[in-house]
Amino acid sequence: MKPDIKEIAYRLYEEYMSEEFEVFDKEMTVGSPVNVGSVYFTVLNKKPVHYLVLRKISDKYYECLKLSSFYEFATHYDIFYHLSLEHQSYIIQTDVNFYLNEDEIKNSVLLEELPEDYFDELQKFVELPEDTKLGYKGILRQGFYYPVGNKWVRAFKEKEIQIVKDYHLRIFEILDEIESTYDNIVNLPPERIENYRLSLVASTEKKTALGKNFVLYKEPEHDFINVIVSPDFLGKNIKVFLQDEKIYEGRLEDVVIAIKVKDAATVDLEKLAKDIKVEEEQ
């Protein structure tokens, strides 16, 4: 029987990850300001972790993507990258994200910065709706396996997520932190927003849309759609309607009214803006 190459690779991966790593020599760390768009190395839960700092997501935390040298398991969520310093190919796993604070990153080893055009394209890829990533065409080299299409690929992904699970779950702390900065929050039930989902044939996914006396701005990483109201309304009592339903009422002390929406990335802002009305309470 022909050996399963994926099984052989997975057994090697298991053997490698079974070792426990101690914290490395702090003299190797940089201690300099966090460099978004750079690859670092650290030890988390006694496991070696290469990661990319993708963006600053709150006052305290940065979103990071885990890298792996086991590129044999690359799915269509993964992007190939050659780490020059180590002369080694890696995959950047856009579906294995986690969150580190500034001190944790400063106590990591800075390896190298991604080329600007490569990092810009990677950021665009991360923002693509999930159902369009498989058909991506661009400068990035993408994996091709479905995560659930091969049991060894699936087992690898589960293991990778487990390594950074504690740091991934910080998202709940981050969301609490972000929500505490908003004075005006509107929670819409999922069924209320379903008619405003982007269709599969939508050509572009815009992050802003213009209304009569407001601008909509999408924060997909936080699942917020912000209604940025004209400053003329500051200090006044206003009402906000979605179609004929009142979704907000109160004295406006901040021009931002945050609408909490599940899967905000998939909302068609232009369609939503047409059905939102902001008016002063008489």
Side-chain angles (χ1 to χ4, degrees), residues 25 53 79 87 135 230 239 272:
D25 186 354
V53 179
I79 299 299
H87 305 288
S230 167
K239 297 178 181 178
L272 182 62

Side-chain angles (χ1 to χ4, degrees), residues 139-240:
I139 65 171
L140 305 177
R141 184 184 167 204
Q142 181 185 21
F144 55 90
Y145 285 103
Y146 285 101
V148 296
N150 180 287
K151 69 177 182 179
W152 303 114
V153 174
R154 188 166 63 250
F156 166 78
K157 280 292 184 182
E158 290 171 354
K159 209 84 163 178
E160 286 288 278
I161 292 169
Q162 190 64 33
I163 292 169
V164 296
K165 180 181 177 181
D166 292 343
Y167 300 88
H168 173 78
L169 292 177
R170 285 173 167 177
I171 186 62
F172 297 107
E173 178 186 339
I174 293 167
L175 291 175
D176 288 343
E177 176 189 333
I178 291 169
E179 288 189 18
S180 69
T181 66
Y182 289 112
D183 292 324
N184 310 312
I185 297 179
V186 175
N187 288 289
L188 282 185
E191 63 272 14
R192 194 67 187 86
I193 206 72
E194 286 309 310
N195 290 334
Y196 300 98
R197 298 295 181 188
L198 286 163
S199 68
L200 293 177
V201 296
S203 57
T204 58
E205 179 196 340
K206 294 186 176 181
K207 283 197 171 184
T208 60
L210 185 63
K212 181 180 178 181
N213 45 23
F214 63 89
V215 173
L216 294 185
Y217 176 74
K218 186 187 297 185
E219 288 187 78
E221 63 272 24
H222 302 146
D223 275 345
F224 277 118
I225 293 174
N226 295 325
V227 184
I228 305 174
V229 182
S230 167
D232 293 340
F233 288 110
L234 276 175
K236 299 177 181 178
N237 292 317
I238 70 162
K239 297 178 181 178
V240 180

